[in-house]
Amino acid sequence: MMKSTSFLVLRVSSMWVVLALIVMPGCARRKAMDAGDENFLAKGQVTFEQSCASCHGSDARGVGPASHLLAVPASDLTQLSEKYSGRFPVDELYSMIEGNEKVGAHGTREMPVWGNIWSEKDGRPVRREMVERRINELIEYLRSIQTE
C-alpha cells in the first residue's frame, strides 16, 4: 500500500511540474513586461534599431535599407494593433521574435530567429531570462509606437 501511494504522489507531482513548464513561459513574459525598469522602452528601441530597422525601417513602417531584398515586404510594425482589431498581439509577437512560430507573411522565414541569436554572446550561452527580457523590451517598444 505504501509503494502505490508514493508512486501516485510522485506521478501527480510530475504532472504539476510538466504543467508549470508549459505555463511558465507566458508568466515570464508578463513578469518582464511589468518590470519597473525606467530604461525598458529605451532598451527596446536600441534592440529594434540594431536588429529590426534594417528590414522594417527606422520608423518601423516596413521600408528599411534591406527591405528590397525580401521576397515578401516587411510588415509595418506601427499598425499591429490595427491589424489585430485594436488588440496589441503580445503573445504572437513573442512567438514570432523568439522563433517558435512560423511567420507566414515571411514565406520561408526570412526573419531571423532572434531567440536563438540572442541566446549567445561572444560564443557563450546567455541566461534564458535575459533573452526573454530582451524580447519583452522590444515588444513594449513596439507597443509604444502603435499609431491610432
Side-chain angles (χ1 to χ4, degrees):
M1 184 70 145
M2 185 74 156
K3 270 188 173 179
S4 64
T5 303
S6 297
F7 179 74
L8 181 61
V9 169
L10 178 63
R11 189 170 184 124
V12 169
S13 298
S14 298
M15 288 180 0
W16 279 110
V17 169
V18 169
L19 181 61
L21 291 172
I22 292 169
V23 172
M24 281 178 63
C27 295
R29 292 178 206 167
R30 303 305 183 284
K31 183 178 179 186
M33 287 190 304
D34 294 336
D37 182 351
E38 68 230 22
N39 294 318
F40 207 71
L41 289 177
K43 289 177 183 176
Q45 182 175 5
V46 168
T47 295
F48 177 84
E49 290 167 357
Q50 292 173 344
S51 303
C52 311
S54 61
C55 292
H56 292 280
S58 60
D59 62 358
R61 296 193 184 275
V63 185
S67 63
H68 69 283
L69 301 171
L70 302 174
V72 175
S75 299
D76 179 343
L77 300 177
T78 67
Q79 299 292 310
L80 293 169
S81 291
E82 183 176 317
K83 179 181 175 183
Y84 283 84
S85 304
R87 177 183 69 83
F88 187 73
V90 173
D91 291 331
E92 292 89 338
L93 281 173
Y94 193 98
S95 293
M96 284 184 224
I97 294 166
E98 185 182 39
N100 288 334
E101 187 173 297
K102 291 182 181 176
V103 184
H106 288 86
T108 60
R109 183 74 197 195
E110 289 182 89
M111 185 175 138
V113 177
W114 293 109
N116 291 343
I117 293 168
W118 293 336
S119 67
E120 285 189 9
K121 183 175 183 177
D122 299 326
R124 289 194 223 117
V126 173
R127 286 193 349 243
R128 180 74 195 143
E129 297 84 29
M130 299 305 292
V131 174
E132 290 171 356
R133 181 169 179 87
R134 191 167 186 184
I135 292 171
N136 284 312
E137 290 166 349
L138 176 57
I139 289 172
E140 288 307 304
Y141 170 71
L142 293 175
R143 184 193 309 259
S144 78
I145 62 169
Q146 295 304 292
T147 58
E148 294 184 22

